[in-house]
Amino acid sequence: MYDEYNEIITVEELAEYLRIGMNTAYGLVNSGEIQSFKIKNSYRIQRSAIVDFIIKKNSQLKN
């Protein structure tokens, strides 16, 4: 049933996933480079948004 939904992660998990610092992770989220949504005071990110970000950055490097 839940397999059709993307996994949701926190900014801390985003930082671990991309192997970046927390300030950089919050910067990516706050700037909108990585799409997210907020629940109260916490950001949540769909894993697909991270994949989109990586693909976009990779294509920029090739150009």
Side-chain angles (χ1 to χ4, degrees):
M1 176 178 183
Y2 295 107
D3 292 337
E4 62 194 60
Y5 296 100
N6 290 324
E7 183 178 346
I8 306 294
I9 65 168
T10 64
V11 176
E12 183 176 295
E13 292 168 324
L14 169 68
E16 290 175 15
Y17 188 78
L18 293 179
R19 296 183 179 153
I20 58 175
M22 287 295 292
N23 289 337
T24 303
Y26 273 107
L28 291 171
V29 168
N30 286 327
S31 70
E33 285 189 77
I34 294 182
Q35 292 181 346
S36 64
F37 59 95
K38 211 169 183 183
I39 299 177
K40 293 199 178 195
N41 293 327
S42 298
Y43 287 100
R44 296 293 183 259
I45 303 118
Q46 286 187 324
R47 183 159 290 200
S48 62
I50 301 168
V51 173
D52 292 344
F53 170 77
I54 293 169
I55 291 169
K56 180 180 174 186
K57 287 296 183 183
N58 193 34
S59 68
Q60 288 174 352
L61 290 174
K62 291 181 180 180
N63 292 330

